[in-house]
């Protein structure tokens, strides 16, 4: 592989105009496609194989025109202090608001709280429910404005009015977080390379790759039913790996220049060696993202495949566009150890009196591997302890900041009607096979009323055929609580006995039940997903490192860092440690997608660092160095680059901690702390300590397996033949090449 990539690197360097033109054309084509594509709404959300989804599908077929997935809004009114909602002025204001809300073109129904008896026991709080014929993401701005204006007019009369539900749901916005991440990346790259031009290359190519990937997703969003979160995930991961991969290759290019090679040869060797690591690192990320299909949730599968496509683009750009741009820069990119005129006068830096930090740290670890290993494992183990009390759930309006109207509406409803009112359960009775449908529905109603934790059960609503009924059940606990989850299971258990007696099937659905089933499905899929992703990556790393123990160590180290990161997330967002510092206003269950999402993303990034750092060690070992010295050599050349890449990623992800959305805040913190643990504790401490203890055994591979595995030559052994027939410093050749530009 190294020889093949070497040829690609040299070709891209020589044919830089052709290569650059192709990428510019692809970016333009993707941009035009995105600009001309129809606007995509929210992606359809389904959880195949769950009872909640089965009930939802049943409602769609038995209640045509119901718009079961349409947006809803709850407008909550509270009377001024000392007054009741039944007072004439307050009642008139509410009725006027109800009438105004019913005039919307997308509104299907509006309830009158005085007719539906939607009043609290003390008479101070009332609510009206508005239903729309489209989802919250597809709702027109005019409908949202009308909702807000109606609420404001009611406030002007002296009432306290708040709006809850998903009607005011906004599409995820990318604020200044990406800008902050890119700014930090630029500073780190300048410090790493000592050159503005060299630092700009990874940023430029990463932005081109993200531009192509996100524009393509936007262009295909309507046709493939891709939600807005898909492009956000692709942007986050594409930016991350795009900078990383380009950073690795530019760093190796400068190292090759420092050894006296002419620039075309240095570009070829950089792509042949560091490019091989990039290919395999990219493959691990793709495996992790595509592996999300194991969960069998279409939304997650599409997100994973789209993000994997962006990663593939980042790999191709690193292998072709980076050497092409290096051909344009000429002498503006200095060999390693030299700085640009702006940052250092163009003079060679003075040789340090002692080895660099990476060399000193690796030497320390090699001398004291047991102490470093124990300290790292015990530290990560302690950080992982909170993960043993992990509770999964999905955020609702109760997790919103108290400054939002959705959160205030949630609190008003809890005060007036109880905490369970914000998460009612919808019980669907399919009595089509029952001889006495109404009797079966009555039995279901009576049975549910007697269950522990039920506050109220509404009368059944039948479809036109009279063979299906809907019953709304209000729990006495909040939607995200364990008690509500137990009640859902209790209703489903009772439904089994009812079916045996009446042949009527009892199904529980609604937002709360869907969230519970979604969390359970993700929880059940975590172990198979881990087995698939880690297993495939393990086989891939065996091919890369031609070792059994090195990939095993990489996988175990990754599990340590992920468990420690999950522990930190639980400590902050579930237990409330440092909640004030992180801006966490409401603690509660951890978002259901967090563990599996963290496993996928962090695994890919962790293997980036593993492949780049350890292939340098493997390269030194194959070229004759002793195991301990190979570890030091790997850190001498790779530690600075891996550290820079990790700092960039931590900065990018940390920018999301400032988001007001609890879900985004949690993802940002989780990914940032996971990268910190994996890069600086696992890869920088535990990995060299384990390799030092194993010695030559680290590179052991059974002979039969060695014969069976393909020789991918990641170390660039095949490139050594080029040393004898290539000039060392081709300034004349370089000048001729630059003259052709």
């Amino acid at each position: 592989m190294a020889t093949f990539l070497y040829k690609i690197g040299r070709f891209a360097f020589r044919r830089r105009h052709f290569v650059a033109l192709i990428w510019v054309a692809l970016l333009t084509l993707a941009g035009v496609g995105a600009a001309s594509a129809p606007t995509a709404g929210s992606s359809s959300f389904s959880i195949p194989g769950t009872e909640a989804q089965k009930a939802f599908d049943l409602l769609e077929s038995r209640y045509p025109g119901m718009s079961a997935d349409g947006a809803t809004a709850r407008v909550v009114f509270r009377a001024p202090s000392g007054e009741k909602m039944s007072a004439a002025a307050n009642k008139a204001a509410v009725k006027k608001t109800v009438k105004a809300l019913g005039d919307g073109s997308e509104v299907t129904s509006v309830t009158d709280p005085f007719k539906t008896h939607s009043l609290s026991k003390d008479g101070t709080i009332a609510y009206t429910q508005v239903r729309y014929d489209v989802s919250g993401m597809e709702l027109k701005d005019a409908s949202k404005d009308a909702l807000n204006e109606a609420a404001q007019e009611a406030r002007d009369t002296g009432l306290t009015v708040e709006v809850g539900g998903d009607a005011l749901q906004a599409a995820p916005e990318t604020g200044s977080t990406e800008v902050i991440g890119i700014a930090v990346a630029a500073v780190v790259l300048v410090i790493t390379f000592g050159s503005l031009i060299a630092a700009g290359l990874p940023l430029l190519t990463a932005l081109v790759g993200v531009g192509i990937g996100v524009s393509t997703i936007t262009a295909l969003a309507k046709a493939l039913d891709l939600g807005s979160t898909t492009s956000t995930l692709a942007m986050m991961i594409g930016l991350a790996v795009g900078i990383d991969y380009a950073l690795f290759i530019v760093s190796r290019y400068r190292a090759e220049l420092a050894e006296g090679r002419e620039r075309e040869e240095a570009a070829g060797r950089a792509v042949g060696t560091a490019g091989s690591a990039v290919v395999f690192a990219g493959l691990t990320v793709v495996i992790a993202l595509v592996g999300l299909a194991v969960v069998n949730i279409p939304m997650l599968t599409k997100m994973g495949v789209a993000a994997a496509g962006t990663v593939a683009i980042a790999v191709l750009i690193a292998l072709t566009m980076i050497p092409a741009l290096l051909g344009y820069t000429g002498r503006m990119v200095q060999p390693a150890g030299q700085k640009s005129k702006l940052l250092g006068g163009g003079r060679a830096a003075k040789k340090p009196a002692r080895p660099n930090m990476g060399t000193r740290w690796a030497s320390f670890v090699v001398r004291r591997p047991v102490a470093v290993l124990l300290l790292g494992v015990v530290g990560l183990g302690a950080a992982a302890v909170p993960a043993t009390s992990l509770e999964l759930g999905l955020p609702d309006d109760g997790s919103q900041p108290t400054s939002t109207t959705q959160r205030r509406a949630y609190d008003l409803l809890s005060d007036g009607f109880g905490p369970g009112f914000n998460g009612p359960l919808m019980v669907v009775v399919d009595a089509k096979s029952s001889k006495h449908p109404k009797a079966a529905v009555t039995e279901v109603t009576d049975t549910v009323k007697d269950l522990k934790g039920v506050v109220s059960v509404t009368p059944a609503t039948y479809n036109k055929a009279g063979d299906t009924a809907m019953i709304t059940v209000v729990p006495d606990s909040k939607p995200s609580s364990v008690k509500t989850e137990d009640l859902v299971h209790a209703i489903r258990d009772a439904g089994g006995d009812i079916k045996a007696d009446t042949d009527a099937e009892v199904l529980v659905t609604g937002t709360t039940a869907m969230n519970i089933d979604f969390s359970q499905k993700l929880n059940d899929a975590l172990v198979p997903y881990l087995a698939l992703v880690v297993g495939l990556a393990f086989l891939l790393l065996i091919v890369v490192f031609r070792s059994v123990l090195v990939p095993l160590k990489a996988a175990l180290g990754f599990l340590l860092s992920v468990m420690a990161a999950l522990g930190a997330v639980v400590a902050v967002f579930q237990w409330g440690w440092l909640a004030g510092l992180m801006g966490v206003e409401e603690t509660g269950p951890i978002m259901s997608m967090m563990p599996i999402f963290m496993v996928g993303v962090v695994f890919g990034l962790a293997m980036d660092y593993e492949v780049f750092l350890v292939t340098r060690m493997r390269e030194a070992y194959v070229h004759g160095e002793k195991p301990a010295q190979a570890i030091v050599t790997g850190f001498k050349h790779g530690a600075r680059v891996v550290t820079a890449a990790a700092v960039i990623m931590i900065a990018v992800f940390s920018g999301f901690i400032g988001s007001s959305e609890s879900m985004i805040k949690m993802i940002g913190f989780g990914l940032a702390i996971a990268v910190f643990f994996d890069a600086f504790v696992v890869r920088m401490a535990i990995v060299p300590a384990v390799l030092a203890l194993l010695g030559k055994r680290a590179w052991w591979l059974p002979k039969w397996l060695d014969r069976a595995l393909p020789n991918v030559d990641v170390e660039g052994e095949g490139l050594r033949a080029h040393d004898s027939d290539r000039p060392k410093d081709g300034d004349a050749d370089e000048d001729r090449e630059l003259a052709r530009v």
Side-chain angles (χ1 to χ4, degrees):
M1 175 175 283
T3 303
F4 173 71
L5 293 178
Y6 165 81
K7 292 177 180 178
I8 288 179
R10 287 179 61 90
F11 173 82
F13 188 95
R14 289 195 308 271
R15 307 299 183 193
R16 59 189 73 107
H17 302 313
F18 174 71
V19 173
L21 183 62
I22 288 178
W23 285 114
V24 170
L26 289 175
L27 180 60
T28 303
L29 184 64
V32 171
S36 59
T39 303
S42 60
S43 60
S44 56
F45 180 77
S46 62
I47 317 174
T50 61
E51 181 174 314
Q53 184 64 45
K54 183 180 179 182
F56 186 85
D57 295 338
L58 183 67
L59 289 174
E60 288 281 298
S61 62
R62 301 284 176 86
Y63 292 82
M66 177 183 172
S67 298
D69 61 343
T72 60
R74 276 181 173 173
V75 182
V76 189
F77 307 90
R78 187 174 65 186
S81 179
E83 297 183 18
K84 301 286 187 181
M85 287 303 304
S86 56
N90 297 336
K91 193 171 183 178
V94 171
K95 285 187 172 293
K96 182 180 178 181
T97 303
V98 170
K99 185 178 183 303
L101 291 171
D103 293 336
S105 60
E106 295 179 307
V107 175
T108 58
S109 65
V110 182
T111 61
D112 185 332
F114 300 103
K115 293 180 180 179
T116 58
H117 306 291
S118 303
L119 296 168
S120 61
K121 289 183 179 179
D122 61 5
T124 61
I125 297 175
Y127 74 91
T128 179
Q129 184 153 300
V130 188
R131 289 189 177 276
Y132 297 87
D133 57 10
V134 294
S135 67
M137 297 295 291
E138 296 172 316
L139 204 60
K140 294 178 181 177
D141 290 339
S143 296
K144 295 181 180 181
D145 293 341
L147 179 60
N148 286 320
E149 288 170 6
Q152 186 57 51
E153 288 179 7
R155 290 189 190 104
D156 294 340
T157 66
L159 296 174
T160 298
V161 185
E162 304 296 346
V163 183
D166 61 351
L168 294 181
Q169 179 182 0
E173 295 182 359
T174 54
S176 60
T177 53
E178 287 81 4
V179 177
I180 294 172
I182 292 173
V184 173
V187 172
V188 173
L189 288 170
V190 169
I191 294 173
T192 303
F193 290 140
S195 166
L196 294 177
I197 299 297
L201 293 181
L203 291 176
L204 175 62
T205 54
L207 291 174
V208 170
V210 167
I212 294 174
V214 172
S215 296
T216 303
I217 291 171
T218 303
L220 299 176
K222 187 73 172 180
L224 301 181
D225 192 26
L226 303 176
S228 54
T229 52
T230 303
S231 58
T232 302
L233 175 63
M235 181 186 299
M236 183 187 299
I237 297 177
L239 189 63
V241 300
I243 294 175
D244 274 9
Y245 298 162
L247 171 65
F248 295 160
I249 291 179
V250 174
S251 176
R252 185 60 183 256
Y253 171 75
R254 297 179 71 239
E256 296 293 337
L257 288 179
E259 293 182 9
R261 292 187 173 88
E262 54 105 359
R263 295 185 180 276
E264 183 179 324
E265 177 71 8
R269 284 181 166 272
V271 175
T273 51
S276 298
V278 164
V279 169
F280 284 100
L283 278 176
T284 60
V285 182
V286 169
I287 288 172
L289 292 170
V290 174
L292 288 171
V294 173
V295 184
N296 193 27
I297 295 178
M299 180 188 71
L300 280 181
T301 301
K302 293 173 184 177
M303 288 173 63
V305 172
T310 306
V311 172
I313 292 172
V315 172
L316 292 175
I317 282 182
L319 298 179
T320 58
M321 192 174 182
I322 282 291
L325 293 180
L326 289 172
Y328 284 115
T329 59
R331 291 194 180 96
M332 289 185 287
V333 174
Q334 301 287 343
Q338 294 185 15
K339 297 181 180 180
S340 66
K341 292 182 178 180
L342 181 63
L343 297 175
R347 300 182 301 274
K350 294 181 180 179
K351 292 186 177 180
R354 54 178 181 169
N356 64 22
M357 181 68 74
T359 302
R360 297 199 302 273
W361 170 249
S363 300
F364 171 79
V365 174
V366 168
R367 289 196 304 271
R368 297 176 177 81
V370 176
V372 172
L373 178 62
L374 287 176
L375 185 61
V377 171
V378 170
L380 291 179
V385 169
T388 57
S389 63
L390 175 68
E391 294 178 9
L392 297 178
L394 286 178
D396 53 25
D397 285 347
S399 61
Q400 296 267 14
T402 53
S403 58
T404 63
T405 186
Q406 292 95 329
R407 172 60 185 277
R408 292 195 292 265
Y410 180 98
D411 292 339
L412 280 176
L413 289 172
S414 295
D415 294 341
F417 303 93
F421 196 79
N422 283 292
L425 306 175
M426 184 181 293
V427 177
V428 181
V429 183
D430 181 6
K432 194 170 186 178
S433 301
S434 178
K435 295 180 180 178
H436 306 286
K438 291 193 175 181
V441 173
T442 300
E443 183 176 343
V444 172
T445 303
D446 293 340
T447 302
V448 172
K449 280 181 180 178
D450 294 336
L451 292 176
K452 182 181 179 182
V454 174
V455 172
S456 64
V457 179
T458 64
T461 302
Y462 290 88
N463 65 340
K464 288 184 179 180
D467 58 9
T468 308
M470 290 188 303
I471 303 168
T472 301
V473 180
V474 177
D476 65 0
S477 51
K478 64 181 183 179
S480 58
S481 70
V482 176
K483 287 182 65 179
T484 302
E485 184 176 348
D486 291 340
L487 177 59
V488 170
H489 293 312
I491 296 173
R492 288 172 174 171
D493 292 341
D497 297 333
I498 293 172
K499 184 174 183 179
D501 295 338
T502 66
D503 290 327
E505 188 173 11
V506 180
L507 305 169
V508 185
T509 188
T511 303
T512 301
M514 288 282 273
N515 288 350
I516 291 171
D517 286 354
F518 183 67
S519 299
Q520 186 61 48
K521 193 172 182 70
L522 286 170
N523 196 37
D524 293 342
L526 184 57
V527 173
Y529 176 70
L530 264 176
L532 173 70
V533 171
V534 176
L536 288 176
F538 178 77
L539 296 176
L540 186 65
L541 293 179
I542 287 179
V543 175
V544 175
F545 297 129
R546 307 196 74 77
S547 163
V548 174
L549 296 179
V550 170
L552 180 62
K553 171 264 309 168
L556 294 177
F558 158 73
L559 292 176
L560 261 179
S561 60
V562 165
M563 290 304 297
L566 278 176
V569 170
V570 170
V572 173
F573 292 90
Q574 188 175 309
W575 290 2
W577 294 6
L578 302 177
L581 181 63
M582 296 294 169
V584 179
E585 296 186 15
E586 186 76 18
T587 59
I590 303 304
M591 185 184 64
S592 304
M593 289 189 292
M594 194 67 198
I596 204 162
F597 181 80
M598 184 181 291
V599 165
V601 176
V602 177
F603 183 80
L605 296 177
M607 292 305 103
D608 282 0
Y609 308 140
E610 174 77 15
V611 169
F612 189 77
L613 194 60
V614 180
T615 48
R616 271 291 196 168
M617 300 178 192
R618 170 75 180 170
E619 184 178 339
Y621 177 75
V622 167
H623 291 169
E625 292 187 8
K626 293 182 178 180
Q629 183 57 40
I631 294 171
V632 176
T633 300
F635 268 77
K636 174 184 177 182
H637 295 292
R640 183 183 180 90
V641 179
V642 171
T643 299
V647 170
I648 290 170
M649 290 306 97
I650 292 170
V652 170
F653 294 139
S654 294
F656 290 89
I657 297 176
S659 172
S660 60
E661 285 286 337
S662 60
M663 183 174 68
I664 301 299
K665 185 189 296 288
M666 192 181 297
I667 290 175
F669 174 80
L671 293 181
I673 198 71
V675 171
F676 173 79
F677 285 149
D678 196 90
F680 295 109
V681 181
V682 174
R683 308 303 152 192
M684 293 291 186
I686 294 179
V687 165
V690 171
L691 291 177
L693 290 173
L694 290 175
K696 289 185 177 180
R697 289 169 295 181
W699 309 108
W700 170 79
L701 187 69
K703 291 184 179 179
W704 64 268
L705 185 57
D706 185 41
R707 291 192 297 269
L709 292 177
N711 183 13
V712 295
D713 188 22
V714 177
E715 303 84 16
E717 185 67 21
L719 301 181
R720 305 192 83 182
H722 294 272
D723 281 339
S724 58
D725 56 2
R726 293 287 176 188
K728 290 297 180 182
D729 189 7
D731 283 343
D733 292 340
E734 178 187 332
D735 291 338
R736 285 194 297 271
E737 191 67 40
L738 289 174
R740 292 200 297 268
V741 176

